[in-house]
Amino acid sequence: MSEKNEYSGYKSGYVAIAGKPNVGKSTLMNKLLHQKVAAVSIKPQTTRKRQLGILTSEKAQIIFVDTPGLHRPDYKLSKFINSEALAALHDADVILFLVDASQTPDEEDEILGREIGSVRTKKPVILALNKSELLSADEKGVRGEQYQGLVPGAIKIEISALKDKNLDGLITLITEQLPHGPQYFPKDQITDYYEREIAADLIRAACLYYLQDEIPHSIAIRIDEFLERDEDNAYIAATVFVERESHKGMVIGKGGEMLKKIGTLARLEIEAMSGRKIYLELRVKVEKNWRNNAALLKRFGYTAGGGI
Ligand code: GDP
Ligand code: MG
């Protein structure tokens, strides 16, 4: 029996979204899935754990893996992020290389291009030029060639995740490249990422939004309580961990003003994601060197790579 007959023509598989921080991976995932499953931030590296986004249609089930960004291994956490990103590339059926077409390729794009090249034996690669709405027709041509040079043989497509441009075209292209296979997940399941983890990501994103460069990425969030009072109301208590006493002061702010702003933004985002009213309580605690402590990383939910 041929593969096509076995699954009646149905297609399914894993699509690793690879791209350096800030190219628009989370924005794309949110747009495709019509729901806030990935925290979008003006700061890079908000998405730190591997998560799935599942898009099911009559023809196919596309399982997106949003990989944490690739960056220099200065800390244990960074090394971990790199191994997670690479594992996702190896496991994928299709690699979606997302780039910021509004900028020329840099060293990070080149490194990623090389990594993709090294794993893509017989694996289709789609090069998606994101933020293309910012470019003139001439610029599009030039950028397209520059990025294509990093992944020769990749199928190229121009999109805008933000402006919803050519996203249907992207879905069609991905579906064409997927192998025949079964529907792995129920058709109404859109993520394997639980509400409480998304909430933690959104709180983190709110911290990064307001704190800008003052406390670069030394924040971890732990959800202490997640009580579903009823279908329309939930109570969340969370702790914001920082590495230094001085950072604690910055997160709390004068008279608690900063923490209040962070809490309000996070609450609105969580409400938008979950579609119910949220009561959010935030605490701040100093936990020295959490980034270099393997046991703490585990407690914050950063588990090692491997299968999906
Ligand atoms: P990630 O780090 O790759 O997940 O990137 P994000 O999805 O967090 O997006 C980073 C920034 O780029 C955000 O400010 C987005 O609004 C912006 N962005 C994403 N897609 C587009 C796009 O198509 N056009 C423009 N102009 N901006 C975009
Ligand atoms: Mg992201």
PDB file of all heavy atoms in Angstrom, residues 68-83:
ATOM      1  N   PRO A  68      13.864  28.471  20.292  1.00  0.00           N
ATOM      2  CA  PRO A  68      14.480  29.615  20.952  1.00  0.00           C
ATOM      3  C   PRO A  68      15.640  30.128  20.096  1.00  0.00           C
ATOM      4  O   PRO A  68      16.279  29.356  19.396  1.00  0.00           O
ATOM      5  CB  PRO A  68      14.999  29.035  22.262  1.00  0.00           C
ATOM      6  CG  PRO A  68      14.288  27.741  22.427  1.00  0.00           C
ATOM      7  CD  PRO A  68      14.013  27.243  21.046  1.00  0.00           C
ATOM      8  N   GLY A  69      15.874  31.421  20.150  1.00  0.00           N
ATOM      9  CA  GLY A  69      16.887  32.023  19.279  1.00  0.00           C
ATOM     10  C   GLY A  69      18.294  31.497  19.501  1.00  0.00           C
ATOM     11  O   GLY A  69      18.634  30.964  20.544  1.00  0.00           O
ATOM     12  N   LEU A  70      19.057  31.677  18.454  1.00  0.00           N
ATOM     13  CA  LEU A  70      20.440  31.238  18.502  1.00  0.00           C
ATOM     14  C   LEU A  70      21.294  32.406  18.992  1.00  0.00           C
ATOM     15  O   LEU A  70      21.233  33.489  18.450  1.00  0.00           O
ATOM     16  CB  LEU A  70      20.854  30.898  17.062  1.00  0.00           C
ATOM     17  CG  LEU A  70      22.078  30.059  16.831  1.00  0.00           C
ATOM     18  CD1 LEU A  70      21.729  28.600  16.955  1.00  0.00           C
ATOM     19  CD2 LEU A  70      22.602  30.336  15.433  1.00  0.00           C
ATOM     20  N   HIS A  71      22.038  32.240  20.024  1.00  0.00           N
ATOM     21  CA  HIS A  71      22.958  33.321  20.400  1.00  0.00           C
ATOM     22  C   HIS A  71      24.168  32.805  21.148  1.00  0.00           C
ATOM     23  O   HIS A  71      24.302  31.621  21.408  1.00  0.00           O
ATOM     24  CB  HIS A  71      22.239  34.432  21.153  1.00  0.00           C
ATOM     25  CG  HIS A  71      21.684  34.009  22.472  1.00  0.00           C
ATOM     26  ND1 HIS A  71      21.902  34.711  23.609  1.00  0.00           N
ATOM     27  CD2 HIS A  71      20.944  32.952  22.823  1.00  0.00           C
ATOM     28  CE1 HIS A  71      21.307  34.098  24.607  1.00  0.00           C
ATOM     29  NE2 HIS A  71      20.706  33.040  24.162  1.00  0.00           N
ATOM     30  N   ARG A  72      25.062  33.704  21.466  1.00  0.00           N
ATOM     31  CA  ARG A  72      26.366  33.274  21.982  1.00  0.00           C
ATOM     32  C   ARG A  72      26.270  32.556  23.323  1.00  0.00           C
ATOM     33  O   ARG A  72      25.561  32.989  24.224  1.00  0.00           O
ATOM     34  CB  ARG A  72      27.288  34.474  22.102  1.00  0.00           C
ATOM     35  CG  ARG A  72      27.986  34.785  20.795  1.00  0.00           C
ATOM     36  CD  ARG A  72      28.899  35.954  20.972  1.00  0.00           C
ATOM     37  NE  ARG A  72      28.143  37.103  21.485  1.00  0.00           N
ATOM     38  CZ  ARG A  72      28.695  38.202  21.945  1.00  0.00           C
ATOM     39  NH1 ARG A  72      30.001  38.288  21.995  1.00  0.00           N
ATOM     40  NH2 ARG A  72      27.966  39.197  22.367  1.00  0.00           N
ATOM     41  N   PRO A  73      27.011  31.462  23.464  1.00  0.00           N
ATOM     42  CA  PRO A  73      26.923  30.664  24.690  1.00  0.00           C
ATOM     43  C   PRO A  73      27.713  31.246  25.855  1.00  0.00           C
ATOM     44  O   PRO A  73      28.704  30.699  26.285  1.00  0.00           O
ATOM     45  CB  PRO A  73      27.467  29.301  24.263  1.00  0.00           C
ATOM     46  CG  PRO A  73      28.376  29.588  23.123  1.00  0.00           C
ATOM     47  CD  PRO A  73      27.879  30.824  22.455  1.00  0.00           C
ATOM     48  N   ASP A  74      27.275  32.364  26.378  1.00  0.00           N
ATOM     49  CA  ASP A  74      27.959  32.981  27.513  1.00  0.00           C
ATOM     50  C   ASP A  74      27.561  32.327  28.832  1.00  0.00           C
ATOM     51  O   ASP A  74      28.330  32.237  29.764  1.00  0.00           O
ATOM     52  CB  ASP A  74      27.624  34.468  27.593  1.00  0.00           C
ATOM     53  CG  ASP A  74      28.140  35.218  26.376  1.00  0.00           C
ATOM     54  OD1 ASP A  74      29.184  34.820  25.840  1.00  0.00           O
ATOM     55  OD2 ASP A  74      27.487  36.168  25.955  1.00  0.00           O
ATOM     56  N   TYR A  75      26.350  31.894  28.892  1.00  0.00           N
ATOM     57  CA  TYR A  75      25.834  31.305  30.124  1.00  0.00           C
ATOM     58  C   TYR A  75      25.351  29.893  29.849  1.00  0.00           C
ATOM     59  O   TYR A  75      25.112  29.524  28.715  1.00  0.00           O
ATOM     60  CB  TYR A  75      24.634  32.117  30.625  1.00  0.00           C
ATOM     61  CG  TYR A  75      24.961  33.483  31.118  1.00  0.00           C
ATOM     62  CD1 TYR A  75      24.796  34.583  30.286  1.00  0.00           C
ATOM     63  CD2 TYR A  75      25.411  33.680  32.420  1.00  0.00           C
ATOM     64  CE1 TYR A  75      25.088  35.857  30.745  1.00  0.00           C
ATOM     65  CE2 TYR A  75      25.697  34.938  32.881  1.00  0.00           C
ATOM     66  CZ  TYR A  75      25.542  36.029  32.042  1.00  0.00           C
ATOM     67  OH  TYR A  75      25.814  37.275  32.491  1.00  0.00           O
ATOM     68  N   LYS A  76      25.138  29.131  30.902  1.00  0.00           N
ATOM     69  CA  LYS A  76      24.573  27.792  30.748  1.00  0.00           C
ATOM     70  C   LYS A  76      23.246  27.845  30.000  1.00  0.00           C
ATOM     71  O   LYS A  76      22.953  27.030  29.156  1.00  0.00           O
ATOM     72  CB  LYS A  76      24.331  27.156  32.118  1.00  0.00           C
ATOM     73  CG  LYS A  76      25.521  26.430  32.691  1.00  0.00           C
ATOM     74  CD  LYS A  76      25.050  25.278  33.584  1.00  0.00           C
ATOM     75  CE  LYS A  76      26.225  24.471  34.096  1.00  0.00           C
ATOM     76  NZ  LYS A  76      26.962  25.173  35.167  1.00  0.00           N
ATOM     77  N   LEU A  77      22.430  28.828  30.352  1.00  0.00           N
ATOM     78  CA  LEU A  77      21.115  28.957  29.733  1.00  0.00           C
ATOM     79  C   LEU A  77      21.253  29.123  28.219  1.00  0.00           C
ATOM     80  O   LEU A  77      20.509  28.528  27.454  1.00  0.00           O
ATOM     81  CB  LEU A  77      20.355  30.141  30.328  1.00  0.00           C
ATOM     82  CG  LEU A  77      18.980  30.423  29.736  1.00  0.00           C
ATOM     83  CD1 LEU A  77      18.043  29.237  29.921  1.00  0.00           C
ATOM     84  CD2 LEU A  77      18.365  31.663  30.356  1.00  0.00           C
ATOM     85  N   SER A  78      22.255  29.910  27.798  1.00  0.00           N
ATOM     86  CA  SER A  78      22.440  30.145  26.374  1.00  0.00           C
ATOM     87  C   SER A  78      22.848  28.871  25.657  1.00  0.00           C
ATOM     88  O   SER A  78      22.393  28.595  24.556  1.00  0.00           O
ATOM     89  CB  SER A  78      23.500  31.206  26.148  1.00  0.00           C
ATOM     90  OG  SER A  78      23.217  32.326  26.932  1.00  0.00           O
ATOM     91  N   LYS A  79      23.720  28.082  26.290  1.00  0.00           N
ATOM     92  CA  LYS A  79      24.124  26.812  25.676  1.00  0.00           C
ATOM     93  C   LYS A  79      22.918  25.924  25.496  1.00  0.00           C
ATOM     94  O   LYS A  79      22.730  25.266  24.501  1.00  0.00           O
ATOM     95  CB  LYS A  79      25.155  26.095  26.571  1.00  0.00           C
ATOM     96  CG  LYS A  79      26.532  26.657  26.430  1.00  0.00           C
ATOM     97  CD  LYS A  79      27.491  25.866  27.313  1.00  0.00           C
ATOM     98  CE  LYS A  79      28.734  26.696  27.585  1.00  0.00           C
ATOM     99  NZ  LYS A  79      29.336  26.392  28.871  1.00  0.00           N
ATOM    100  N   PHE A  80      22.079  25.923  26.513  1.00  0.00           N
ATOM    101  CA  PHE A  80      20.874  25.127  26.501  1.00  0.00           C
ATOM    102  C   PHE A  80      19.960  25.557  25.349  1.00  0.00           C
ATOM    103  O   PHE A  80      19.427  24.738  24.624  1.00  0.00           O
ATOM    104  CB  PHE A  80      20.172  25.280  27.844  1.00  0.00           C
ATOM    105  CG  PHE A  80      18.825  24.677  27.863  1.00  0.00           C
ATOM    106  CD1 PHE A  80      18.686  23.314  28.050  1.00  0.00           C
ATOM    107  CD2 PHE A  80      17.704  25.449  27.667  1.00  0.00           C
ATOM    108  CE1 PHE A  80      17.437  22.749  28.038  1.00  0.00           C
ATOM    109  CE2 PHE A  80      16.464  24.893  27.664  1.00  0.00           C
ATOM    110  CZ  PHE A  80      16.323  23.533  27.852  1.00  0.00           C
ATOM    111  N   ILE A  81      19.809  26.866  25.197  1.00  0.00           N
ATOM    112  CA  ILE A  81      18.956  27.379  24.133  1.00  0.00           C
ATOM    113  C   ILE A  81      19.485  26.928  22.781  1.00  0.00           C
ATOM    114  O   ILE A  81      18.742  26.497  21.923  1.00  0.00           O
ATOM    115  CB  ILE A  81      18.863  28.922  24.207  1.00  0.00           C
ATOM    116  CG1 ILE A  81      17.992  29.310  25.394  1.00  0.00           C
ATOM    117  CG2 ILE A  81      18.275  29.490  22.919  1.00  0.00           C
ATOM    118  CD1 ILE A  81      17.973  30.784  25.693  1.00  0.00           C
ATOM    119  N   ASN A  82      20.805  26.961  22.605  1.00  0.00           N
ATOM    120  CA  ASN A  82      21.370  26.509  21.345  1.00  0.00           C
ATOM    121  C   ASN A  82      21.071  25.048  21.062  1.00  0.00           C
ATOM    122  O   ASN A  82      20.702  24.696  19.961  1.00  0.00           O
ATOM    123  CB  ASN A  82      22.883  26.718  21.353  1.00  0.00           C
ATOM    124  CG  ASN A  82      23.242  28.130  20.939  1.00  0.00           C
ATOM    125  OD1 ASN A  82      22.559  28.704  20.099  1.00  0.00           O
ATOM    126  ND2 ASN A  82      24.273  28.672  21.518  1.00  0.00           N
ATOM    127  N   SER A  83      21.224  24.182  22.069  1.00  0.00           N
ATOM    128  CA  SER A  83      21.005  22.763  21.829  1.00  0.00           C
ATOM    129  C   SER A  83      19.532  22.492  21.530  1.00  0.00           C
ATOM    130  O   SER A  83      19.199  21.634  20.725  1.00  0.00           O
ATOM    131  CB  SER A  83      21.487  21.929  23.017  1.00  0.00           C
ATOM    132  OG  SER A  83      20.652  22.143  24.123  1.00  0.00           O
TER     133      SER A  83
END
